[in-house]
Amino acid sequence: MATNHTLLRALDAGNVDEARSLLIMQEDTNLLSLDMLAPYFPDDLAKSTCRIMQKVAKQRADNAAKYSATESASDPGVRQMVTASLKKPAACEHAK
């Protein structure tokens, strides 16, 4: 809830870059959670999660400049974990 409130405040103030950073941070959190839980998913959920993570990876690769601009605001360790999760999602391994 705090992230959503801060996001809305940033948008209301016209701080689009700050809002974008917050959304990326929230997405990173969701991606890491999915990747950690994926080994416990049923096959159909693992396949769906795999597709989602592949789409996110493609989106970030296709728009690398937009994502790299927000990297200074995020923790390098978290960025490395997210990058690793997107390169080889656990859901894709589980869905095989």
Side-chain angles (χ1 to χ4, degrees):
M1 184 164 145
T3 303
N4 290 342
H5 176 71
T6 305
L7 174 61
L8 289 170
R9 283 187 33 219
L11 289 172
D12 289 344
N15 297 329
V16 177
D17 291 336
E18 180 183 350
R20 181 175 180 70
S21 292
L22 288 166
L23 282 171
I24 291 170
M25 180 181 69
Q26 194 169 28
E27 183 177 61
D28 286 351
T29 301
N30 292 334
L31 291 168
L32 290 174
S33 296
L34 284 173
D35 202 51
M36 287 188 303
L37 294 171
Y40 307 102
F41 290 167
D43 287 345
D44 59 336
L45 184 55
K47 288 176 185 176
S48 294
T49 302
C50 176
R51 283 191 300 271
I52 290 167
M53 293 189 77
Q54 289 172 335
K55 286 180 183 180
V56 170
K58 182 175 178 354
Q59 171 71 19
R60 289 188 179 199
D62 291 348
N63 297 281
K66 292 178 183 177
Y67 284 90
S68 65
T70 63
E71 284 183 356
S72 62
S74 66
D75 181 89
V78 172
R79 277 197 321 268
Q80 289 175 346
M81 286 189 295
V82 171
T83 299
S85 292
L86 289 174
K87 282 184 180 177
K88 190 175 178 184
C92 298
E93 293 296 314
H94 177 65
K96 289 183 177 180

